[in-house]
Amino acid sequence: MDNIHKNDENGTPITINQYYKKYKPGDKVHCNRFNGPLTDDVHYPKTHWRAYVNFAGSDCQLAITSSNPVGKLCALDYTSSPWCNGSGGPAACSKVIGHSTKYHRH
């Protein structure tokens, strides 16, 4: 599959791997929803069974369940009006919990 080309919140061009691509620590991502402790480092569609395993303990889950009210916006990424891919910017949920916005494992 080809890569997706987008701009980050500052207008800087970034390349985002599509589904089923394996990420390495330090890669730019639009959302760290697949970096939990049992991750295989692959970005799956949200409907894929493995996406649930990779989500558990991820930055996205940690932000949604945090006491930070902004973290609740991360749940929007599971609707038709995403936050990390929209107004929040790339890896916005990672920012909420003070983690790197680049790919990293837990």
Side-chain angles (χ1 to χ4, degrees):
M1 287 183 211
D2 295 328
N3 290 329
I4 299 171
H5 302 282
K6 290 183 142 185
N7 293 335
D8 68 11
E9 68 273 16
N10 299 317
T12 304
I14 59 173
T15 300
I16 299 172
N17 292 336
Q18 288 185 324
Y19 293 137
Y20 302 105
K21 296 269 184 160
K22 189 167 188 157
Y23 280 74
K24 296 177 298 213
D27 286 346
K28 291 185 179 183
V29 293
H30 70 279
C31 182
N32 274 313
R33 69 171 172 82
F34 58 99
N35 69 337
L38 299 177
T39 189
D40 63 356
D41 303 311
V42 176
H43 182 212
Y44 295 99
K46 293 172 186 163
T47 55
H48 190 284
W49 72 269
R50 185 67 205 197
Y52 297 99
V53 174
N54 292 353
F55 176 79
S58 68
D59 284 10
C60 187
Q61 183 190 28
L62 294 174
I64 290 170
T65 58
S66 75
S67 60
N68 185 329
V70 178
K72 306 301 181 234
L73 294 173
C74 296
L76 293 175
D77 291 339
Y78 295 88
T79 70
S80 60
S81 300
W83 190 55
C84 281
N85 292 326
S87 62
C93 297
S94 295
K95 290 181 211 171
V96 167
I97 59 172
H99 289 195
S100 170
T101 58
K102 295 192 176 169
Y103 184 71
H104 59 278
R105 295 182 209 130
H106 285 230

